[in-house]
């Protein structure tokens, strides 16, 4: 399964969960308002989210926000730079997740070029 397919499947299941547990819609609303581009632009917020996903060791966050950063116009170098900051803040454990994020970046870039 491609990383894009994996992300689509995850988003679908997340939607199913929110539909079944409508209380989670409030949290989804908070996410939307926090991600609004009133001060920081969308690309910057996605790079921040990716770095935080690496530091918190969240595999799905890494996939989601790597994809979203690319969609927001982040370059390969900008994403790698965000991964470096994640490692600065998260140390050795973040380094291993930065490798996962880098592999995700490579896979998503390859899928987009097909």
């Amino acid at each position: 399964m491609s990383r894009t397919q994996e992300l689509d499947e995850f988003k679908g299941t997340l939607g199913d969960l929110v539909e079944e547990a409508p209380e989670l819609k409030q949290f989804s609303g908070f996410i939307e308002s926090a991600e609004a581009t009133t001060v920081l632009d969308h690309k910057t917020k996605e790079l921040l989210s990716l770095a935080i996903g690496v530091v918190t060791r969240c595999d799905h966050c890494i996939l989601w926000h790597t994809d979203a950063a690319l969609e927001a116009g982040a370059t390969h170098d900008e994403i790698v730079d965000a991964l470096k900051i994640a490692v600065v803040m998260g140390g050795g454990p973040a380094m291993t997740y930065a490798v996962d994020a880098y592999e995700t970046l490579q896979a998503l870039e390859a899928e987009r070029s097909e």
Side-chain angles (χ1 to χ4, degrees), residues 3 62-63 66-67 99-109:
R3 297 307 307 251
I62 290 168
L63 176 55
T66 301
D67 180 72
V99 170
D100 291 344
Y102 183 70
E103 289 172 343
T104 297
L105 172 61
Q106 291 177 315
L108 289 171
E109 287 176 328

Side-chain angles (χ1 to χ4, degrees), residues 4 9-10 16 22 41-42 48 50 61 64 91 101 103-104 114:
T4 302
E9 186 176 297
F10 176 76
D16 293 343
D41 63 275
H42 184 63
L48 285 166
L50 173 59
C61 300
W64 187 298
E103 289 172 343
T104 297
E114 291 176 356

Side-chain angles (χ1 to χ4, degrees), residues 20-67:
E20 190 169 326
E23 301 84 0
L24 296 176
K25 286 184 183 181
Q26 291 177 338
F27 183 69
S28 296
F30 170 68
I31 292 170
E32 288 176 21
S33 66
E35 290 181 345
T37 55
T38 54
V39 178
L40 295 175
D41 63 275
H42 184 63
K43 178 176 76 171
T44 300
K45 287 187 175 193
E46 290 302 339
L47 291 168
L48 285 166
S49 294
L50 173 59
I52 292 166
V54 168
V55 172
T56 61
R57 304 175 201 151
C58 176
D59 294 323
H60 287 106
C61 300
I62 290 168
L63 176 55
W64 187 298
H65 293 292
T66 301
D67 180 72

